[in-house]
Amino acid sequence: MVVDMTRVLAGPLAGQMLGDMGAEVIKIERPVNGDDSRMFGPPFLKDENGQDTSQSPMYLSANRNKKSITLDFSVPAGKELLLKIIAQADVLIENYKVDDLQRYGLDYASLRTSFPRLIYCSITGYGQTGPYRKRPGYDSVFQAESGIMSVTGHPDGQAGGGPMKVGPSIADIITGLYASNAITAALYRRDQNQGSGEYIDISLLESMVCGLGHFATQYLVTGTAPKRMGSQGNGGVPAQVFDCTDGAVMMTAGNQGQYISFCKAIHREDLIINEKFTTNTLRVKNRVELSTILSLELQSWKSQDLIEALHRFNVPAGRINSLPEVFLDPHIQQRQIVQEVQHPAYGAIKLVKNPINFTQSQAEPDRAPPMLGEHTEEILKRFLNIDASQMQELRANQII
């Protein structure tokens, strides 16, 4: 069982991944308001009359397969209930500010003696140590500080040139994936090695620096920082967006064979033997000249004709789809990445499902993200044997 004491996005995504994998995830929320992300809108989910509800897309994107309980652990009676739940848990995830939970005796140092098997994961902006440990932060700040923005966007000197933020909250998404992987590994190690727990310290800033991938390694190995290249690829050349008569196409010739096939597909075999472009090293060196030649060549093509020609020669290529086009794509539909789940208050809603497809495990149907406190009574009855009169007293004292 997982106790999810996280808010907004990175932490909830980690808990959601564990819930997707079959864990029972209990989301601990503040009475009345709950997770801040519930009100991150507009837009909001609309009811059958077209009116806004209190369910934001951000909340809905990160909290399926969980149960919600409202609990004020800042008071002794609420803390006592929470500790009784933690006593039955395998994992606790939290993303409070550094040392914040220490005030309530809910930090790892305070819990480890009583719960030696507990896997405790702390997700913060900058980590538990270092000069920035107390700073607040959000996704866009970490995109800036990690260097991601410095290598994203059009080059200086081009129209619209300059650092660019990645659209989605990529720092939260990457951190959530790292956190869920770390928790899974810690559980395996615990169950293989004398059953001892673990403390996991994960920061959004470090996760984003790791998210630089080969860009970071390129700098560390060469001492030269990669430059922004707009839509151009990072390896084989050509790899970029080409404007056609009716839209744009993204293609990548990732190796020599694909470059030769690309030239054949667009009927420019002369570019195969042009001494400036015979190897990828030369094409990288003469990237601007080759790009100019190809852009002029392809601007008279229709986008679908170009895609079909490239696919006939096994050259990777695709349209730059809008989101409506993504979800109308026959391949996306056949893979069933969108699924309907039954919301307890608003009927069927559509969510993007987990992309992991097991062949030997039969997954339970996904549950909609819970309403605030939807499972409070269920959890307190099942785990703590709280009866109806005690429940009424807890509500009267605003503990739940």
Side-chain angles (χ1 to χ4, degrees):
M1 187 255 280
V2 177
V3 174
D4 182 349
M5 297 175 63
T6 66
R7 294 77 47 82
V8 187
L9 198 51
L13 283 169
Q16 177 173 268
M17 177 64 79
L18 297 173
D20 289 348
M21 298 297 103
E24 180 168 30
V25 181
I26 299 176
K27 184 177 179 70
I28 309 295
E29 300 192 70
R30 296 171 300 171
V32 183
N33 294 320
D35 187 331
D36 294 338
S37 72
R38 287 182 178 274
M39 294 304 297
F40 276 16
F44 291 100
L45 175 69
K46 294 186 180 298
D47 63 20
E48 60 185 9
N49 297 317
Q51 299 300 309
D52 283 346
T53 68
S54 61
Q55 309 295 304
S56 77
M58 181 173 285
Y59 170 77
L60 294 172
S61 75
N63 289 284
R64 67 172 172 263
N65 291 328
K66 300 181 185 180
K67 296 180 177 180
S68 170
I69 172 175
T70 54
L71 183 61
D72 182 359
F73 59 78
S74 67
V75 297
K79 176 186 171 182
E80 181 181 355
L81 292 175
L82 178 57
L83 288 174
K84 289 179 179 179
I85 294 173
I86 293 172
Q88 301 176 62
D90 297 284
V91 175
L92 187 153
I93 317 173
E94 59 91 9
N95 63 348
Y96 285 78
K97 295 176 183 176
V98 172
D99 296 335
D100 217 15
L101 290 179
Q102 190 175 6
R103 295 182 295 162
Y104 310 108
L106 294 171
D107 57 311
Y108 181 66
S110 300
L111 298 179
R112 64 182 301 180
T113 301
S114 299
F115 311 114
R117 287 175 53 83
L118 184 66
I119 307 300
Y120 190 115
C121 179
S122 293
I123 301 172
T124 56
Y126 296 92
Q128 300 295 312
T129 60
Y132 302 161
R133 61 193 289 268
K134 295 282 191 175
R135 286 184 182 178
Y138 281 98
D139 173 86
S140 56
V141 175
F142 302 120
Q143 289 200 37
E145 292 185 325
S146 67
I148 288 283
M149 285 178 63
S150 75
V151 295
T152 304
H154 292 295
D156 292 330
Q158 287 190 9
M164 180 69 68
K165 174 186 172 294
V166 178
S169 299
I170 196 70
D172 292 279
I173 294 168
I174 291 176
T175 304
L177 290 171
Y178 273 123
S180 60
N181 274 317
I183 291 166
T184 304
L187 284 168
Y188 180 82
R189 186 199 64 81
R190 183 195 72 177
D191 293 342
Q192 296 295 313
N193 297 285
Q194 292 83 48
S196 60
E198 179 66 272
Y199 180 67
I200 301 168
D201 168 16
I202 292 182
S203 78
L204 275 80
L205 179 60
E206 290 169 274
S207 296
M208 281 302 282
V209 173
C210 289
L212 284 165
H214 58 280
F215 274 36
T217 305
Q218 179 178 326
Y219 168 72
L220 293 173
V221 169
T222 67
T224 302
K227 297 184 182 300
R228 294 186 302 278
M229 297 191 297
S231 63
Q232 294 194 31
N234 305 313
V237 174
Q240 65 182 88
V241 170
F242 289 108
D243 290 321
C244 299
T245 60
D246 59 346
V249 173
M250 181 73 205
M251 59 75 55
T252 297
N255 55 47
Q256 186 68 12
Q258 288 176 346
Y259 173 68
I260 293 170
S261 295
F262 172 73
C263 294
K264 291 178 178 179
I266 65 171
H267 314 300
R268 287 299 304 267
E269 287 87 347
D270 59 299
L271 296 175
I272 299 172
I273 57 175
N274 187 309
E275 61 183 11
K276 294 182 179 180
F277 312 132
T278 53
T279 68
N280 192 64
T281 301
L282 289 170
R283 292 193 294 277
V284 170
K285 182 179 178 180
N286 298 297
R287 182 195 296 264
V288 174
E289 183 176 351
L290 179 59
S291 176
T292 301
I293 293 170
L294 294 174
S295 295
L296 290 171
E297 178 68 34
L298 297 175
Q299 66 183 2
S300 61
W301 284 64
K302 291 184 177 179
S303 59
Q304 191 58 37
D305 290 344
L306 178 57
I307 290 171
E308 291 176 359
L310 296 180
H311 285 176
R312 281 196 298 272
F313 282 82
N314 291 315
V315 178
R319 290 174 51 84
I320 300 176
N321 286 331
S322 65
L323 288 185
E325 290 169 328
V326 169
F327 293 115
L328 287 172
D329 186 286
H331 184 82
I332 292 291
Q333 292 184 342
Q334 196 276 330
R335 295 290 292 176
Q336 298 181 327
I337 192 69
V338 177
Q339 63 180 181
E340 283 194 350
V341 297
Q342 289 297 316
H343 191 279
Y346 305 111
I349 62 173
K350 292 181 179 180
L351 299 174
V352 175
K353 76 175 182 67
N354 194 304
I356 299 171
N357 297 291
F358 291 109
T359 58
Q360 300 299 321
S361 303
Q362 183 64 41
E364 294 291 326
D366 281 344
R367 297 189 303 273
M371 299 284 286
L372 178 61
E374 179 184 343
H375 304 95
T376 299
E377 293 194 9
E378 173 194 333
I379 297 300
L380 293 182
K381 286 178 182 177
R382 182 153 64 93
F383 287 95
L384 308 184
N385 295 316
I386 301 294
D387 61 28
S389 62
Q390 291 173 306
M391 203 82 67
Q392 185 175 2
E393 183 179 354
L394 290 169
R395 290 196 184 280
N397 292 326
Q398 298 183 329
I399 294 169
I400 61 173

